[in-house]
Amino acid sequence: MFIGFDYGTSNCSVAMMKEGKPTLLPLEGNDVYIPSTLCAPTRESVSEHLFRHLNIKPSSEVGEQLLRKSIAFNREEDIELVPEDILFGQSALSLYLRDPRDVYYVKSPKSFLGASGLHEIQISFFEDLVCAMMANIKHQAEKSTQEAITDTVIGKPINFNGLGGDASNRQAESILIRAAKRAGFKNIMFEFEPVAAGLEYESTLTKDQTVLIVDIGGGTTDCSLIQMGPSYQGKTDRSNTLLAHSGQRVGGNDLDIYLAFKQLMPLFGMTGLTSSGIKLPLKQFWDPIAINNVEAQKDFYSRQNLAVLNQLRRDAKEPEKITRLIEVYNETLGYSIVRRAEEAKIALSDSPEYIANIALLSETLELTIERDQMVESIESPKSKMIELVNDAVKQGGIKPDAIFMTGGSARSPILCQAIEQQLPNVPIVKGNDFGSVTAGLARWGEVCFK
């Protein structure tokens, strides 16, 4: 049996074909979407969990080395790992928000898979993270199907990392393949996520069109200009119909991060001055919320950085704000701050203002954010997304008949309006914001595995 598998930056989902139509399968309770999150007692618990409780062995000598180190660390810390210690999805997020200091929490590991400069041990660790998540999703899907799932089509962005190019894409795909095989999949295919979304849209067409697919996910924005319609359905080779591709690692998460940086981080001292009138370094306020940047997170939460933060507090004109920043360090609150920004972003799509609340140990910070302030805050990532739209159309050399928008951030009226301004008089069609890619991957699986 095969499934379409959208291993997303924000959410994951899978679909099977049933009576000629894609059907999404429940993965967490009755929910067909599971947040791309994992929570464990320690960072080292993930590798041990795979081996001890799922009988999933490392795929390489480096992986075996990581497993040995992980087991040794947990023994030293007197951690006896049980299967229930590893949580996924909303359960993982809920535990983290209740007690962020005493757990290891990771969101959106897909964002890191194409990162440049990763050491072999880091690559092996990300493979373990992805494998644990995939194994959980496969198990949950099989509970619904009551059948063993052996084959899958996995979606991939046009580019996993804008800086690394083809090397980053190869690295990310290799991690996904190894993780999927260890999770129990036998035959694995890939399809571009915007192309998959387009296949689902194509099933509704009664005549051929040139369609611009704009897939704005949590971690990437991908655009594909595709010829589609009844003449092309069911064909195994669609290479001649793909007129242009563009993609970059900029997505909904970046909108959240920029909104948090511009609007929330001043509460923690950003834009402040030292007592001698010098501006405080921006890096200390960017790194804690750059949740999709491995090095930034490592730098901020390093032991050495605590000394830097304490010196910053001594130098600052408003030391009480830097005290809040030190609490972010001590309580690992970066994810929580970005979460508040995400809530504000969603609310401001429909409301002129939003009151954001950030709970600290000694106080609750409250800030009113206006819609215009949000628009200004996200200008940089929004501009990059619009550049990708223009690039795909320019490459293809033809104006599309329609624009099909999908992905979680495709709901944003701000982004839709910006695209309308670039391509006036081209109708925008909305798909299932989270499910179009998954459904299209299942449809492509029917072609690949028939």
Side-chain angles (χ1 to χ4, degrees):
M1 179 180 178
F2 69 86
I3 56 172
F5 196 149
D6 182 10
Y7 182 72
T9 304
S10 297
N11 296 283
C12 297
S13 57
V14 300
M16 62 179 286
M17 293 299 293
K18 188 175 182 179
E19 298 177 356
K21 293 183 178 180
T23 300
L24 272 68
L25 303 174
L27 298 178
E28 189 172 22
N30 293 323
D31 293 333
V32 295
Y33 305 109
I34 182 170
S36 303
T37 58
L38 178 150
C39 198
T42 64
R43 185 179 188 274
E44 291 75 15
S45 298
V46 180
S47 301
E48 182 177 353
H49 170 75
L50 288 173
F51 180 75
R52 187 174 301 282
H53 298 305
L54 300 183
N55 196 30
I56 296 176
K57 298 177 182 179
S59 63
S60 66
E61 189 173 322
V62 174
E64 292 176 358
Q65 177 187 347
L66 174 63
L67 175 61
R68 289 193 296 270
K69 288 183 176 180
S70 298
I71 293 174
F73 177 88
N74 287 332
R75 294 300 80 76
E76 288 174 8
E77 296 295 317
D78 199 27
I79 295 172
E80 290 295 331
L81 197 64
V82 298
E84 296 76 21
D85 284 338
I86 309 296
L87 298 178
F88 303 91
Q90 189 59 47
S91 299
L93 176 59
S94 298
L95 178 60
Y96 166 72
L97 292 177
R98 285 199 303 272
D99 194 2
R101 185 172 59 176
D102 292 335
V103 295
Y104 172 75
Y105 174 78
V106 63
K107 176 184 178 182
S108 311
K110 182 181 178 181
S111 298
F112 308 135
L113 303 186
S116 303
L118 293 181
H119 301 298
E120 287 187 355
I121 199 78
Q122 291 174 301
I123 291 175
S124 187
F125 174 67
F126 286 132
E127 182 188 317
D128 282 352
L129 277 178
V130 176
C131 180
M133 296 172 71
M134 285 186 166
N136 173 66
I137 288 169
K138 184 174 183 290
H139 174 69
Q140 297 301 324
E142 288 174 338
K143 284 168 61 176
S144 298
T145 63
Q146 294 295 299
E147 248 186 280
I149 298 170
T150 56
D151 305 335
T152 185
V153 179
I154 301 174
K156 65 177 182 178
I158 304 300
N159 287 302
F160 283 88
N161 187 310
L163 299 178
D166 290 341
S168 289
N169 293 335
R170 287 193 297 271
Q171 174 182 287
E173 287 184 31
S174 295
I175 293 172
L176 289 171
I177 289 173
R178 291 193 301 271
K181 286 184 176 179
R182 292 172 65 200
F185 293 105
K186 305 300 182 186
N187 299 299
I188 301 157
M189 304 286 289
F190 286 101
E191 182 54 274
F192 287 126
E193 289 161 356
V195 173
L199 292 175
E200 180 59 11
Y201 174 57
E202 184 179 57
S203 68
T204 69
L205 295 180
T206 57
K207 64 178 182 178
D208 293 347
Q209 289 186 344
T210 299
V211 182
L212 177 65
I213 312 295
V214 181
D215 179 12
I216 308 176
T220 58
T221 294
D222 294 309
C223 302
S224 293
L225 193 65
I226 311 176
Q227 292 174 325
M228 54 177 51
S231 301
Y232 308 105
Q233 291 179 13
K235 292 186 176 180
T236 55
D237 184 4
R238 298 292 297 265
S239 55
N240 290 334
T241 68
L242 306 181
L243 305 180
H245 281 316
S246 65
Q248 191 175 338
R249 203 186 82 169
V250 57
N253 287 350
D254 296 275
L255 302 177
D256 304 335
I257 290 168
Y258 271 81
L259 182 57
F261 183 63
K262 296 284 189 177
Q263 299 300 322
L264 300 183
M265 292 314 289
L267 298 171
F268 299 86
M270 194 189 83
T271 70
L273 304 172
T274 66
S275 54
S276 58
I278 299 172
K279 290 182 179 180
L280 297 177
L282 292 178
K283 178 177 170 58
Q284 293 298 335
F285 304 96
W286 176 260
D287 284 357
I289 58 170
I291 58 173
N292 55 2
N293 186 316
V294 179
E295 292 304 318
Q297 292 284 283
K298 187 169 71 173
D299 288 350
F300 183 78
Y301 290 110
S302 67
R303 291 183 179 179
Q304 300 93 314
N305 192 43
L306 182 58
V308 175
L309 293 175
N310 283 322
Q311 183 61 53
L312 204 63
R313 178 167 55 183
R314 289 190 288 270
D315 294 341
K317 192 174 182 179
E318 298 177 290
E320 68 280 1
K321 291 186 177 180
I322 306 302
T323 297
R324 295 171 183 167
L325 185 63
I326 292 174
E327 184 172 334
V328 172
Y329 173 94
N330 288 328
E331 304 297 324
T332 323
L333 297 180
Y335 279 108
S336 295
I337 294 172
V338 176
R339 176 77 172 176
R340 301 289 85 78
E342 180 185 16
E343 292 168 353
K345 177 192 71 176
I346 294 170
L348 289 168
S349 292
D350 301 315
S351 303
E353 63 179 35
Y354 177 78
I355 300 175
N357 292 285
I358 303 174
L360 302 179
L361 292 175
S362 58
E363 60 180 324
T364 296
L365 305 177
E366 187 174 286
L367 177 71
T368 299
I369 305 174
E370 297 180 355
R371 193 169 190 270
D372 289 345
Q373 291 176 310
M374 180 190 71
V375 173
E376 183 180 350
S377 297
I378 66 173
E379 178 59 32
S380 177
K382 185 194 78 172
S383 296
K384 292 178 182 177
M385 294 173 182
I386 300 306
E387 284 176 16
L388 294 170
V389 170
N390 290 331
D391 186 33
V393 175
K394 184 177 179 181
Q395 282 182 45
I398 185 172
K399 187 176 181 180
D401 298 309
I403 301 167
F404 180 72
M405 291 188 65
T406 187
S409 293
R411 294 172 295 174
S412 168
I414 296 168
L415 296 180
C416 290
Q417 183 180 9
I419 292 173
E420 285 177 341
Q421 290 173 350
Q422 298 299 313
L423 294 167
N425 303 318
V426 179
I428 291 181
V429 182
K430 293 292 189 69
N432 182 330
D433 291 329
F434 294 107
S436 294
V437 170
T438 318
L441 291 170
R443 288 185 183 278
W444 190 242
E446 193 167 51
V447 175
C448 294
F449 298 122
K450 64 182 179 181

